[in-house]
Amino acid sequence: MKVLIVLVGLLAVRGSELKCDSGNRPAPPLYKLCNNGTQCINYTVEEANSCYEVRHYPGGRWVAADIDRPDKFKDFKKAWKRLAAYLDGKNTENAKIEAIYPVGHIFFVEEGEKMYSAAAAVYLPEDYHDSPPVPTGKRIHFSEKGPQKLYARAFGSKKKFPVKDIDEELETLAKSLQKEGIVDVDWATPIVFAYFNSKSKVKRFEVAFMGKKSIEPKPFSEICQSASRPDLPECAKYESKRINASDLEVRSYKRYKIAVTEIRSFDYGGAFQRLRSYMGGNNYGNETYNLTLPLIITASFSEDYSHMTEHHMGVLLPSDVKYPAEPHDYQVKIVDLPRQKVIVRAFGDELIYENAHRLYGLNLEKLFYELRAKGMDIKSRDMFALVYDDIGVKGPQRHEVGVITESSIDDDKEEPKKFSDICRSENHPDLPECAKFKSYPISGTDYEIRAYYPHFVAATPIKDNDYKAAFVELQKYLNGWNEYASLYEMAVPVTLSMKLSDDLDSLEEQYLAMGFSCPEDEPSEPLSSEVKVFKTPFYTVLVKPFGGKVDENNANEVYEKKFREMFADIEKYDIPVSHTDIFALAYDYPGASLPQRHEIGVLIKDKEDEDGVKPFSEICQSDVNPHLLECARFSSFETGLNVSDVEGRVYDRHTMVEVELTEKISYEDALKELFRYIRGANDRQIVYNMTVPVIGTVRVDSNDGNLMEAKVAVALPSDAEHVAKPTSTWVKVVVYDPYKVIVKSFGGKIESVERLDAAYKEKFNELARELDGTHWTGIARKNGYIFGMEYDMPGSKGLKRHEVGVVVSL
């Protein structure tokens, strides 16, 4: 039995998704086991969730039998038989003692998962707590326990003693406790409770860890040199500030010289001996140095925290040493420790070599849990432990764990929270999805233009300024109050959309909108008539982010002030905004810990519908309009045709993502597959920027004109560093060499795919008449490729640009 595998790789728990249900191992309920004369130990439940229960067991006396080999089930049976014999009268009073269930199995585990002993135990009835009958059998003993706090979870099994299931359930229990920052646990003595009296085929088992009281760390007054204690060693100097309502402290250390050496294969003793030898005179100056506390152990981790990349031990030189002697040992280096800001957590447990690695890891997990709870951004993967006491010292000790941070952690911070601390990523899979957009900051300001990609939204009107009721209505939809009882994951931000009167003096409409993930791309219809669900088009907005504290008491005042500032600033920029269409974006709940992120914005207007052809200057990304989409690149050539809306183009070499149309894949389906690939449905989960145009190509037989194939395609952006493989079998990635086309452009509003198809046919016929009688006709017919290109989403406002064409060289 591995049992302690749960303690390996503690940092891997950070941000991982934890599933706590027992799946196909449901436990029989206690009320079916503890009745009809069968006694069970009484305990109270302080807290219960899907992962575990916090229980309080009464104190009392247990009778126990040692298990010779904990990894052999037959030795469990032998121990239980000895217990059963004692209860059945094999004692000095020949007393038959009624068993109180469950049978507890306690495992004593060393560092590194190795079990060194185990025992099976039964709780005695209260009448036998003071003077139980003495066992006459061998290897039976008593254990007196005070009231115990246990973290436990139950599961069922048809096996007599399901070793593999126990390991998995212990791992789930430990990870769930660590994820919630509960580390004051006796990890070295896992417990398994078994209800062997179950008459059903499925027996009840429970796994548990005992809670323990945290030990206050030894105070610095008993560690560090001072006027009253000149006999103590010097300690490193720093400035500090405690983080409100936490056990964490922010420190800014002064500069120090430090002797460091690499820790190889976790040989801490060898590393310490090398440093002590240097401090004792093993250097080119034969200098001896007094020890300055603390001893420092550092660890740097990979980006996903899956493995350690560097591991060092260091000792500070006294602050008055300016030019330390060079070491004789090449494995010891003298370096400057720069001023840096760190966050530390202190604890007072007694460390021995066997438990040091585990206790440091658990307290690091507690530190990260508290940081996450306060919404703090810690990017660094450089962690450390500070040692103030020799390993094995009796009584309270002082140890500290910490992380290096480059950012300010002040509670009055006004900078907005970073998206890296808000939105889901590879490093933070526990965070929510965020609406995807491309950002174009306006130089020298805190404004930015954003082009949002299409995403699903549930929206509802806000009545009588009751924002909470609107929020609850949207949450109900996401939580299954819809036609197919589908559950959807909420995305951020939550949007408050407002429509102002033309004179900007009154509010005409306001809606609350909530984005959500919809893998099937067809969301279920709401059951509430107040909720509307739709997919947004591409749209562009002007946004101003800000930080600071916003709660229910000051929200209206803060947002009104920010909107007034924004409207005053807008006049400075030549951006056609809609002053009547404004919104606020919320990334944090009101009153959340600092830092927070809030945004206000205004819609950038489209031109009214016109019949002209939209120029490329209003479509394609450029230095003047960096917020627009990238367009496929081409150069022009002379066609010899005297037609204003027809031109020749040579397209550059580019990579296309394409989907072939079939009886199973329609034009709309193909678009969805392309957008899914671009938004990350590929083997690298890369999210690409959208480009235009979207191209529909048709290949016809040059002899009989029959349709041979039809495809829908879009080009990958020119700056794409990697071309990912599609996860869908319908999507193909193809590289096209430069090719020539003749294109005819036209404008006008097209509201549907059917209308687009009719418009293409009409314009193709016009282009064919214009090419008739030229050498281009034969070339085009021989190649057999015709196409249509779209630069605007269906239903968008303003000028439009559509194109049809033929390929004249491949």
Side-chain angles (χ1 to χ4, degrees), residues 557-593:
E557 178 184 350
V558 170
Y559 279 118
E560 183 178 352
K561 177 184 176 183
K562 294 295 181 181
F563 274 120
R564 291 186 183 279
E565 292 176 358
M566 184 181 70
F567 281 126
D569 291 338
I570 282 175
E571 306 304 325
K572 305 174 186 176
Y573 313 119
D574 185 22
I575 300 175
V577 300
S578 173
H579 290 74
T580 59
D581 296 300
I582 63 174
F583 58 86
L585 304 178
Y587 293 86
D588 296 279
Y589 288 100
S593 301

Side-chain angles (χ1 to χ4, degrees), residues 157-316:
S157 178
K158 295 180 179 179
K159 299 176 183 177
K160 293 181 179 179
F161 203 78
V163 174
K164 183 178 179 182
D165 295 346
I166 289 170
D167 280 335
E168 292 177 355
E169 295 292 333
L170 275 170
E171 182 174 3
T172 299
L173 174 60
K175 284 185 175 181
S176 63
L177 294 174
Q178 293 157 14
K179 190 172 182 67
E180 295 189 23
I182 299 173
V183 296
D184 296 327
V185 176
D186 186 359
W187 304 102
T189 54
I191 301 170
V192 179
F193 288 134
Y195 289 81
F196 288 138
N197 65 324
S198 171
K199 294 180 181 179
S200 65
K201 291 183 179 180
V202 179
K203 294 177 173 57
R204 181 183 177 96
F205 293 89
E206 296 174 344
V207 294
F209 290 106
M210 285 187 286
K212 65 177 182 179
K213 293 182 178 179
S214 59
I215 302 173
E216 288 296 316
K218 184 189 295 185
F220 281 118
S221 59
E222 298 178 17
I223 298 173
C224 300
Q225 189 178 92
S226 63
S228 59
R229 293 295 307 271
D231 56 308
L232 296 176
E234 179 186 348
C235 289
K237 303 295 190 298
Y238 61 83
E239 298 173 354
S240 71
K241 177 182 178 181
R242 184 163 293 279
I243 298 176
N244 292 343
S246 75
D247 295 328
L248 308 183
E249 184 180 352
V250 180
R251 294 179 183 170
S252 295
Y253 276 92
K254 297 184 177 180
R255 293 181 182 272
Y256 277 92
K257 298 286 186 181
I258 182 172
V260 297
T261 187
E262 184 180 1
I263 300 171
R264 298 178 178 176
S265 303
F266 296 96
D267 183 7
Y268 298 99
F272 183 71
Q273 288 299 329
R274 292 194 292 274
L275 295 176
R276 189 166 66 172
S277 174
Y278 169 80
M279 300 289 281
N282 186 22
N283 52 65
Y284 285 101
N286 297 322
E287 299 282 349
T288 58
Y289 302 110
N290 294 324
L291 178 67
T292 299
L293 295 178
L295 181 71
I296 304 171
I297 300 172
T298 66
S300 297
F301 287 84
S302 60
E303 289 189 10
D304 60 359
Y305 295 93
S306 62
H307 62 278
M308 196 183 302
T309 56
E310 294 183 15
H311 200 21
H312 291 87
M313 181 180 291
V315 61
L316 299 171

Side-chain angles (χ1 to χ4, degrees), residues 127-171:
D127 294 344
Y128 294 99
H129 281 193
D130 293 334
S131 56
V134 177
T136 55
K138 295 181 179 180
R139 303 177 67 192
I140 298 290
H141 56 88
F142 299 107
S143 176
E144 185 77 27
K145 296 290 185 182
Q148 293 285 341
K149 179 179 181 180
L150 264 65
Y151 300 91
R153 63 183 275 113
F155 66 98
S157 178
K158 295 180 179 179
K159 299 176 183 177
K160 293 181 179 179
F161 203 78
V163 174
K164 183 178 179 182
D165 295 346
I166 289 170
D167 280 335
E168 292 177 355
E169 295 292 333
L170 275 170
E171 182 174 3

Side-chain angles (χ1 to χ4, degrees), residues 437-441 449-451 453 540 614-634 688-693 716-720 791:
F437 61 83
K438 193 168 184 181
S439 176
Y440 307 92
I449 295 173
R450 289 184 188 165
Y453 292 99
T540 309
K614 183 188 290 188
F616 282 119
S617 61
E618 297 181 18
I619 298 173
C620 301
Q621 189 178 94
S622 64
D623 293 339
V624 177
N625 288 310
H627 62 284
L628 298 177
L629 301 180
E630 180 183 344
C631 290
R633 298 177 182 178
F634 64 83
Y688 296 102
N689 292 324
M690 182 67 184
T691 67
V692 288
L716 289 181
S718 57
D719 60 355
Y791 293 85

Side-chain angles (χ1 to χ4, degrees), residues 40 59 64 80 109 138 175 263 271 338 400 422 449 461-463 475 509 543 551 642 675 685 687 710 748:
C40 292
W80 169 238
V109 186
K138 295 181 179 180
K175 284 185 175 181
I263 300 171
E400 296 173 341
I422 297 172
I449 295 173
I462 299 170
K463 299 179 179 179
Q475 285 278 36
E509 294 177 352
V543 170
D551 55 30
N642 189 23
F675 288 142
Q685 296 182 333
V687 177

